[in-house]
Amino acid sequence: MTQPHLPGHVDPILAAGDEPTSNASGNAYFGDILAARMSRRTLLRGSLAAAIAGAMATSLPFGRALAAGVPSPSIGFKAIPIGTGDSVVVPEGYRVQAFIPWGTPINGSMPAFSIDASGEDQAHQIGSHHDGMHYFAIDGSSRDGLLVLNHEYVEPRFLHAAAAGMPLDRNGFPQHEDGSRDADQVRKELNAHGVSVVRVRQGDEDQWQVMQDRLNRRVTGLTPMQLAGPVAGTEHVVTKYSPDGTMTRGTLNNCAHGVTPWNTYLAAEENWAGYFANEDADIDRRQTRYGIATRAEGRYQWHRAAGGADEFVRFDATSRGASARDDYRNEPHAFGYMVEIDPFDPDSTPVKRTHLGRFAHEGVIFAPAVEDQPVVAYSGDDARFEYIYKFVSARPFQAASADGSLLDEGTLYVAKFNDDGSGEWLALVPGQNGLTPENGFADLADILVNTRSAADFVGATKMDRPEWGAVDPATGQVYFTLTNNTRRSEEQVDAANPRAENHFGHIIRWQEDGTHAAESFQWDIFLLAGDQESGRDQAGEPLGQEAIFASPDGLWIDPDRRVWIQTDISESVMNTGIHEVFGNNQMLVANPETGEIRRFLTGPIGQEITGVIATPDQRTLFVNVQHPGATTSAEAFAAGESVSHWPDGGNAIPRSATLVITREDGGIIGA
């Protein structure tokens, strides 16, 4: 996901608007691999995009579904045009409702939304910057369930009433004249992060409403969390707060998500590294490889909250005591995981599952669980030139007893994409692939805390920012979005990342050689994002005006196999230059067999479209709109103006919210 970058301000932590490139390994670039693969074929169609598309159309594992009798999904709506207005547009015959915007009260004292709300108020309200999301049906109902959603980050200009009257630091955050942050503002920002669990019910005229219920819950940047798996209890995560290394506080920068086969929720910790300051002169790979350099600032300056409370000071990872038990030098090592939350048990403690790896998790996607077979989960590391991973549990799935402990024992693999269309999963296991103490990897905990370094060492393929994944329910094929990478040079182009200065991104897919637990696979490109000149569909044909898109991010395959694609063009380039043709961020639907693509939704100004899930009957679709108004310039904000007032209209401040989409005839969404 695009990270906070305030127009008119230079972010010293994330100057490019997302996690800094920290992969200095000599591993192969995916673009180099794809270029080599393309050169083996007769590809004389006039452009790189066409050449790549020609190979896409001839790949072996991916044209068999129809022949095997697997039904091809229908796309039954008329595509909508590109949108540039401050509204949500859906196809004719559909209705859309803006729902649970940031600040909606859900529990506790149920404080009503107000820009003047306190940090404690925010702990009882829907968080900010809605992202990954799932609907958990209650008793199988498509009209009554728990909506669970992530809140990735905050924009303080719109979060605090005081932002209009206080000096802003160079990252746009209100501060006191001495450089300290207001403690309650910091508490509000921490409580606006995390996850919301809220019971929702469909009432009269298909309108959905929030229910006051004991299951309603906020999990925030301050919530106590348990560490589980090989890293728990090791010296890597010993802190002043948890001298035995078994606990931490809070989850941050939650992007996409996952849903376990035992019906719990996993929140991803993505670009968490920028939250930490560290003034030590010598910082080891546990932080440097994730983008933490010697610096006195973090993105939010939480460690500078007035009063010096321990819950805020922990965002300074500088060594200030005699040992790790006296300070927070190890605090960053407790972030970068998937966090398991049981939405049906409001008293349960969230658990960080460390065996799924430590990196900038975009999310996690599970292969369909098979009785007495291992659990398999895929995850992408969303940063430039990072990797795609797979976890295979040691113990088999058994529906009657399955729980999160299945994720604490197993094998974490990282993907290597070969230029002939084959691929292999490289095990990140002590003693395998050179991961030995002699080579700098002491044990399994050391490998997992340093997942990126281990992946570097074994020779994984550098990718163009792996984002969301999805598994085709009929064929088992795995899809991943690669959103963009403008820093890839001509020399770094390879088969799986085919374009230098990849402004628009693409979608890759693969078929495992056997079950999802296999150690090899066959891959190809599904779609090449872009305009009508550079974009290509599955058949290798240029994208039509109804199908052009850039920066694929959110991804979901519905039960009928429609592939839903959401875009996240960064606010720093949205509606400008080569991105102007795409308008506001949008959501499209693709047919995995024919390659047909149609635009289904466009959002308001300055947002990204992210998070998508349907009710079990597929007659209600939930979609998130994140950070509307983010393209508001610093000058406009200072003048009391915003480019967006969605969803409330008038002169209201913009707020992230969830869309509830239904058909006027009550039919299945997309069909």
Side-chain angles (χ1 to χ4, degrees), residues 165-246:
M166 291 181 69
L168 303 182
D169 69 13
R170 58 181 172 174
N171 294 317
F173 294 84
Q175 62 179 359
H176 296 129
E177 290 184 359
D178 64 0
S180 67
R181 296 283 325 274
D182 180 89
D184 196 61
Q185 289 180 11
V186 170
R187 183 171 290 105
K188 186 175 182 180
E189 291 166 20
L190 277 157
N191 282 332
H193 280 71
V195 177
S196 292
V197 180
V198 57
R199 187 167 185 174
V200 297
R201 182 175 295 166
Q202 189 177 32
D204 296 337
E205 300 180 357
D206 291 336
Q207 291 293 301
W208 286 74
Q209 56 190 354
V210 171
M211 306 303 296
Q212 295 189 30
D213 193 89
R214 68 175 189 84
L215 297 177
N216 291 359
R217 179 185 187 189
R218 285 300 321 284
V219 174
T220 78
L222 295 169
T223 302
M225 308 245 161
Q226 179 185 346
L227 295 168
V231 176
T234 68
E235 55 88 16
H236 298 286
V237 286
V238 166
T239 65
K240 182 180 177 181
Y241 175 74
S242 182
D244 64 356
T246 60

Side-chain angles (χ1 to χ4, degrees), residues 30 417 478-480 482 496 506-510 523-524 526:
F30 195 44
F417 294 83
V478 185
Y479 292 66
F480 258 75
L482 301 168
H506 54 289
I507 301 176
I508 195 169
R509 64 178 174 181
W510 63 86
W523 68 270
D524 220 320
F526 173 57

Side-chain angles (χ1 to χ4, degrees), residues 449-463:
V449 167
N450 297 290
T451 301
R452 284 182 173 175
S453 296
D456 294 342
F457 188 88
V458 303
T461 303
K462 296 179 177 180
M463 309 298 287

Side-chain angles (χ1 to χ4, degrees), residues 497-514:
N497 301 275
R499 294 188 285 197
E501 296 185 14
N502 183 7
H503 293 277
F504 302 140
H506 54 289
I507 301 176
I508 195 169
R509 64 178 174 181
W510 63 86
Q511 183 87 56
E512 300 281 8
D513 291 336

Side-chain angles (χ1 to χ4, degrees), residues 358-588:
R358 175 177 174 255
F359 44 88
H361 278 277
E362 177 70 19
V364 67
I365 184 71
F366 286 84
V370 179
E371 193 76 9
D372 295 323
Q373 295 295 316
V375 170
V376 178
Y378 301 90
S379 191
D381 186 350
D382 182 13
R384 293 180 177 95
F385 302 120
E386 294 300 342
Y387 307 121
I388 294 175
Y389 297 86
K390 177 171 79 171
F391 173 82
V392 179
S393 69
R395 292 185 287 120
F397 173 75
Q398 294 175 328
S401 59
D403 62 22
S405 66
L406 281 170
L407 304 179
D408 294 336
E409 300 176 70
T411 302
L412 185 66
Y413 297 89
V414 65
K416 181 178 180 181
F417 294 83
N418 301 317
D419 62 19
D420 62 356
S422 67
E424 53 190 307
W425 292 106
L426 306 173
L428 303 181
V429 173
Q432 295 188 32
N433 297 310
L435 297 176
T436 64
E438 294 76 17
N439 289 326
F441 298 94
D443 53 25
L444 181 56
D446 194 38
I447 290 170
L448 293 173
V449 167
N450 297 290
T451 301
R452 284 182 173 175
S453 296
D456 294 342
F457 188 88
V458 303
T461 303
K462 296 179 177 180
M463 309 298 287
D464 280 351
R465 289 187 56 197
E467 296 268 5
W468 292 51
V471 178
D472 188 309
T475 67
Q477 293 164 6
V478 185
Y479 292 66
F480 258 75
T481 52
L482 301 168
T483 195
N484 57 54
N485 185 357
T486 56
R487 296 182 188 173
R488 187 178 290 275
S489 68
E490 292 286 353
E491 293 73 25
Q492 296 168 338
V493 164
D494 60 39
N497 301 275
R499 294 188 285 197
E501 296 185 14
N502 183 7
H503 293 277
F504 302 140
H506 54 289
I507 301 176
I508 195 169
R509 64 178 174 181
W510 63 86
Q511 183 87 56
E512 300 281 8
D513 291 336
T515 70
H516 284 96
E519 296 187 4
S520 61
F521 57 91
Q522 305 297 314
W523 68 270
D524 220 320
I525 302 293
F526 173 57
L527 294 174
L528 204 63
D531 54 24
Q532 289 182 274
E533 180 179 349
S534 61
R536 291 294 184 274
D537 66 17
Q538 180 192 346
E541 298 299 324
L543 298 181
Q545 183 63 24
E546 78 287 349
I548 62 172
F549 68 101
S551 297
D553 193 329
L555 190 69
W556 177 60
I557 300 178
D558 70 27
D560 294 330
R561 304 184 60 231
R562 283 174 287 269
V563 181
W564 297 79
I565 303 165
Q566 301 175 314
T567 72
D568 180 19
I569 300 171
S570 169
E571 59 260 36
S572 63
V573 298
M574 193 185 305
N575 283 305
T576 64
I578 61 174
H579 290 89
E580 185 175 7
V581 66
F582 303 107
N584 298 343
N585 278 309
Q586 57 182 288
M587 183 167 71
L588 310 95

Side-chain angles (χ1 to χ4, degrees), residues 114-137:
S114 168
I115 189 65
D116 296 310
S118 69
E120 178 60 25
D121 289 341
Q122 181 61 73
H124 303 291
Q125 298 170 332
I126 292 288
S128 178
H129 287 43
H130 301 29
D131 211 305
M133 172 175 55
H134 189 71
Y135 174 86
F136 291 86

